[in-house]
């Protein structure tokens, strides 16, 4: 288990971040106040049921980074994480753009977009899993194929 945690440390950290985001919105409902025409969409992001969904995603991310699961579950997990963080980053950006008081973009929005970019880059360029290596994917297999030719 510790070996899997070391290997999947990025996803473990992202799961913990998602967990704390869910806990924050669980204990601070109505944190996002938006006066834009998108009010109904953006204000839903900090409701209790959405926070519970974030906690479920976070727990699954933490569990999947501690144990070896089927690679398809990992791909679904990455897609759900990417969607959730992009949704929150977009919601915060809409809130900041429609805020009549400067600054135009808050630090929280910048941090959220940084996490979105980090998740995307890790999903594209991160270390391949065992199943990817068995199928011939990943940089290690490409290097072996280059050496054989």
């Amino acid at each position: 288990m510790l070996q899997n945690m070391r290997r999947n440390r990025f996803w473990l950290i992202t799961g913990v971040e998602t967990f704390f985001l869910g806990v924050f919105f669980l204990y601070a409902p109505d944190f996002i106040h938006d006066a834009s025409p998108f009010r109904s969409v953006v204000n839903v992001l900090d409701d209790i049921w959405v926070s519970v969904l974030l906690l479920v995603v976070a727990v699954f991310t933490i569990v999947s980074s501690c144990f070896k699961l089927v690679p398809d579950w990992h791909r679904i997990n990455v897609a759900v994480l990417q969607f959730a963080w992009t949704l929150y980053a977009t919601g915060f950006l809409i809130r900041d753009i429609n805020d009549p008081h400067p600054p135009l973009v808050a630090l929280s929005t910048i941090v959220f977009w940084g996490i979105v970019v980090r998740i995307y880059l890790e999903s594209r360029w991160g270390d391949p899993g065992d199943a990817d290596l068995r199928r011939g994917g990943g940089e290690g297999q490409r290097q072996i194929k280059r050496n054989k030719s």
Side-chain angles (χ1 to χ4, degrees):
M1 185 168 98
L2 287 175
Q3 181 182 8
N4 288 330
M5 289 173 65
R6 264 187 252 120
R7 181 178 185 180
N8 299 319
R9 66 187 171 275
F10 172 82
W11 298 113
L12 180 65
I13 291 169
T14 305
V16 171
E17 289 171 343
T18 308
F19 183 80
F20 283 130
L21 181 69
V23 168
F24 175 76
F25 284 128
L26 194 63
Y27 287 108
D30 299 327
F31 177 77
I32 302 175
H33 300 289
D34 189 30
S36 72
F38 303 106
R39 176 177 56 236
S40 61
V41 174
V42 174
N43 286 341
V44 165
L45 294 177
D46 61 351
D47 286 348
I48 291 176
W49 63 273
V50 179
S51 302
V52 170
L53 285 175
L54 272 177
L55 291 173
V56 168
V57 169
V59 168
F60 182 75
T61 303
I62 292 169
V63 168
S64 69
S65 64
C66 292
F67 302 103
K68 283 189 180 180
L69 296 180
V70 178
D72 292 335
W73 284 105
H74 177 69
R75 288 187 199 101
I76 291 170
N77 189 23
V78 170
V80 168
L81 280 173
Q82 185 72 48
F83 174 76
W85 282 96
T86 303
L87 184 68
Y88 273 95
T90 304
F92 271 70
L93 184 63
I94 290 171
R95 181 200 66 170
D96 291 344
I97 288 173
N98 293 310
D99 187 13
H101 308 292
L104 181 62
V105 178
L107 181 62
S108 59
T109 305
I110 296 169
V111 169
F112 273 60
W113 280 107
I115 292 172
V116 167
V117 169
R118 190 180 54 136
I119 290 172
Y120 176 75
L121 292 177
E122 183 66 22
S123 68
R124 300 300 297 164
W125 297 334
D127 290 335
D130 292 336
D132 293 331
L133 292 175
R134 280 193 299 272
R135 284 196 316 260
E139 195 60 38
Q141 287 294 335
R142 286 186 211 120
Q143 186 67 28
I144 291 171
K145 289 177 184 176
R146 280 188 220 133
N147 291 339
K148 286 183 179 179
S149 5

